[in-house]
C-alpha cells in the first residue's frame, strides 16, 4: 500500500493517551523508509490543541510515532513503532499550524513536537521546524536526546526550545530503565549548553528507580552544570498508560507500582532548587 492511500485530511486529532496501533502497517516497507529519508511525511500518533504543559504558553502538540527507548515506566508504548502512526505530509502539517498561527501567537504559545521520540523522524523535523519558524510561531522539540547528533546546527537554529527528557544519570540505572546508553543524550545536552540553547529538563520520579536522593542529586548537579537550563519539570510517575501495556500484551514491570508520594516529589523539587534551578 502507498502512503498516499492513508493520508488523512489533517493530522489525527486526539490525546497521547489514546491507544493507537497499526495505522501504517499495510504500507510497503520501502515507502516507509523513503518517507523517513526524505522527510516528506511524518508519522503521527496524535495531535492536540490547547496544551499548557508542553512548553511556554498554550500550544499545539504533535505526538510522533517511533521510539528507540524502552522505558519501563513509559505511558505510551503504542508510540514505539513508527508504523503505529498515521502518515501526514509535511505541507499538510504546516497548513494546520498556519490555521492556528494567530491564536498561538496571542497565547504566547507555539508548536511542540513530542512523541515517542521525534528524532527518529529528524528529516521531517528539519523541514517542518524552519517553515513553522518562518510563520513567526515558537517551536519546541521534546526529546530523549539520544539522536541529538542527527540535528545540524542549522536545524537547531529553527528550534526555539529543547525539552530534554533525562531519565537517569547513573549509566547502569539508565540502561536498565530505558534499555539504552545515556552518553549520547548527555553529549547532546552539553552541545546545547555550549550553544547557550534554551533547554527545559524533564525528570520523571519513578518509584524504585529514580526516587532516591543520590540519583536526584546527580541529576540536579548535571542539570545545574550545563548553565543553559531555564527550567526543570519534575514529573511524578503515573499509571495512565497501564492499559496500553495490557492491550499490547507486553510485560509491564510497573504493574503494581504506586505514584511517588508528595514528600518524595517535593524532595526531588528541593534538590533541583538547591542547585539554583527553577522547578515547576
Ligand atoms: S523515551 Fe518516552 S516514549 Fe520513549 S520509551 Fe521512554 S517514555 Fe516512552
Amino acid at each position: 500500500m502507498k502512503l498516499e492511500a492513508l493520508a488523512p485530511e489533517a493530522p489525527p486529532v486526539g490525546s497521547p493517551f489514546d491507544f493507537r496501533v497499526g495505522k501504517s502497517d499495510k504500507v510497503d516497507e520501502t515507502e516507509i523508509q523513503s518517507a523517513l529519508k526524505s522527510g516528506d511525511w511524518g508519522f503521527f500518533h496524535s495531535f492536540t490543541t490547547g496544551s499548557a504543559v508542553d512548553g511556554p504558553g498554550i500550544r499545539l502538540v504533535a505526538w510522533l510515532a517511533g521510539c528507540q527507548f524502552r522505558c519501563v515506566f513509559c505511558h505510551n508504548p503504542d508510540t514505539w513503532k513508527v508504523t503505529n502512526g498515521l502518515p501526514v505530509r509535511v505541507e499538510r502539517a504546516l497548513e494546520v499550524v498556519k490555521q492556528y498561527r494567530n491564536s498561538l501567537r496571542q497565547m504566547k504559545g507555539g508548536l511542540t513536537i513530542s512523541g515517542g521520540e521525534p528524532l527518529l523522524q529528524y528529516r521531517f523535523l528539519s523541514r517542518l521546524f524552519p517553515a513553522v519558524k518562518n510563520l513567526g510561531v515558537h517551536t519546541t522539540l521534546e526529546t530523549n536526546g539520544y539522536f541529538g547528533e542527527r540535528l545540524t546546527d542549522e536545524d537547531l537554529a529553527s528550534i526555539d526550545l529543547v525539552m530534554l527528557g533525562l531519565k537517569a544519570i547513573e549509566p547502569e540505572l539508565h540502561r536498565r530503565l530505558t534499555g539504552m546508553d545515556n552518553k549520547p543524550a548527555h553529549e547532546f545536552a552539553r552541545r546545547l549548553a555550549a550553544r547557550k540553547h534554551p533547554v527545559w529538563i524533564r525528570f520523571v520520579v519513578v518509584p524504585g528507580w529514580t526516587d532516591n536522593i543520590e540519583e536526584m542529586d546527580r541529576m540536579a548537579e548535571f542539570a545545574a552544570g550545563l548553565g543553559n537550563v531555564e527550567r526543570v519539570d519534575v514529573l511524578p510517575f503515573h499509571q495512565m498508560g497501564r492499559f496500553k501495556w495490557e492491550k499490547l500484551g507486553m510485560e509491564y514491570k510497573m504493574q503494581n507500582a504506586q505514584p511517588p508520594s508528595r514528600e518524595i516529589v517535593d524532595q526531588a523539587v528541593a534538590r533541583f532548587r538547591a542547585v539554583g534551578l527553577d522547578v515547576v
Side-chain angles (χ1 to χ4, degrees), residues 67 69-71 73-76 79-80 115-117 144 167:
C67 187
F69 277 24
R70 294 291 176 263
C71 299
F73 60 89
C74 183
H75 52 250
N76 289 316
T79 63
W80 289 359
E117 172 44 55
N144 62 35
K167 315 298 181 193

Side-chain angles (χ1 to χ4, degrees), residues 184-258:
H186 293 182
E187 277 161 20
F188 183 48
R190 291 194 191 95
R191 178 176 164 213
L192 293 170
R195 294 172 56 87
K196 301 193 189 328
H197 203 105
V199 163
W200 291 6
I201 281 182
R202 301 198 120 182
F203 173 66
V204 184
V205 180
V206 188
W209 294 82
T210 61
D211 59 346
N212 62 84
I213 297 293
E214 216 179 25
E215 179 59 23
M216 291 173 188
D217 275 344
R218 280 190 207 162
M219 183 62 77
E221 197 186 322
F222 179 81
L226 293 170
N228 62 329
V229 176
E230 294 182 345
R231 148 178 167 167
V232 178
D233 289 341
V234 171
L235 309 167
F237 162 81
H238 58 70
Q239 282 290 15
M240 283 168 75
R242 178 161 54 194
F243 79 99
K244 293 191 174 186
W245 289 80
E246 285 161 6
K247 278 190 154 187
L248 290 165
M250 298 193 311
E251 186 205 355
Y252 182 38
K253 290 187 178 149
M254 304 301 287
Q255 180 72 23
N256 299 312
Q258 295 298 315

